[in-house]
Each structure stands twice: as structure tokens, then as C-alpha cells.
Amino acid sequence: MSPKVSRDFEEVRRTVQRELAPGSRPPSDAPHAMPDARLARTPPPGLVPSGARAEVGRTRSMPVLPLALLGGGVLLGGFGGYFGLQSRSNVNAARDEVFYSNRTAHLDSARGQAIAANVLLGAAVTAAAGAAVTWLLMDDPPSPRTEVSP
């Protein structure tokens, strides 16, 4: 720890110890105990109007990580499919070309698009598998949220 941080920490510690020392007076804005205060009684359930009862409903929050992985997998799969179709279109265009230079250009373009498609589809499958694994291996279901409505 740096000397300045240590010095600041010790200064705050001394200040707190002085404030908590026996015989010290509480701050002027501290709350005071009221010995004669009475708590309001809650009416029995039969006397409460039916519209005033609170309904407690439990809802479960959706797990974010599996849904994000699945969404990413779908997105990557869509891009991979697009590049795969573009690659196939370039291969078909290369078959129809008469000149060797044009045929080579189409095949080079198709090769690059096929590599991109394979990488994207592999990433899509990996993301989808990750989504399935995280969904299935979640040992504790998402903490339920309690909603109270009047």
C-alpha cells in the first residue's frame, strides 16, 4: 500500500476512534430515543378493505448469459450463411466465365468468403453450445424478485 493511502487510512481511523470513544457526545443531528412513543396497531385482516390488501407475486428474472450467447450464435449463424451463399454464387459465376483471369478472381473471392463463412458458422455453433451448457449447468435458478402491488 502506498504511504499516502496508509496515512489517509490512519487519519480516518483516528477520527472514527475519537468519535466512538466513551464519554463523547453524539452528534447534534443523531436520532434520539423516545421512550413514550407508541406503535400504531395493524387492523385485523377482516377489517381491511379488499382493495387495500397487497398482492405478492413472484417472478423469475431471465438468465442473461445463455440468452446473450444464443442471440450471438443466431447472429453469427446468419452472417455465416450469408457469406456461404455469396461464396457459392461466386463459384457458380466462375464456372460460367470464359476467361481464365475472371474465373480466378471469382474463385479467389469465393475462397475468402468460404473461409469467413466457416469461421462464422463455427463461432455460431460454439456460442449456441455455450448457451445450452450455461442454461443446463446453472446450479441455482435466478433469484426470484418479489413484486408487491396494492
Side-chain angles (χ1 to χ4, degrees):
M1 190 176 336
S2 73
K4 182 176 182 189
V5 172
S6 297
R7 204 173 35 244
D8 289 344
F9 179 74
E10 290 301 323
E11 182 182 325
V12 169
R13 188 162 150 214
R14 279 190 296 262
T15 305
V16 169
Q17 285 177 347
R18 265 187 266 127
E19 289 175 0
L20 295 178
S24 64
R25 294 198 292 171
S28 61
D29 60 345
H32 299 286
M34 298 176 61
D36 59 344
R38 292 186 183 170
L39 297 176
R41 293 185 157 232
T42 338
L47 299 178
V48 176
S50 62
R53 288 192 180 149
E55 294 179 19
V56 176
R58 296 176 72 86
T59 60
R60 293 205 180 267
S61 61
M62 294 298 293
V64 176
L65 181 61
L67 291 177
L69 285 172
L70 185 61
V74 168
L75 189 68
L76 290 171
F79 282 122
Y82 171 76
F83 282 113
L85 291 174
Q86 284 295 105
S87 174
R88 179 180 291 237
S89 173
N90 276 333
V91 168
N92 289 337
R95 288 184 183 145
D96 295 339
E97 282 294 334
V98 177
F99 297 110
Y100 178 76
S101 61
N102 290 344
R103 186 177 290 177
T104 309
H106 281 296
L107 289 176
D108 285 342
S109 177
R111 187 175 296 117
Q113 289 170 340
I115 290 172
N118 289 339
V119 168
L120 288 171
L121 289 174
V125 168
T126 304
V133 167
T134 55
W135 183 277
L136 294 175
L137 293 182
M138 287 192 334
D139 55 347
D140 190 21
S143 62
R145 292 181 291 182
T146 303
E147 296 178 2
V148 178
S149 60

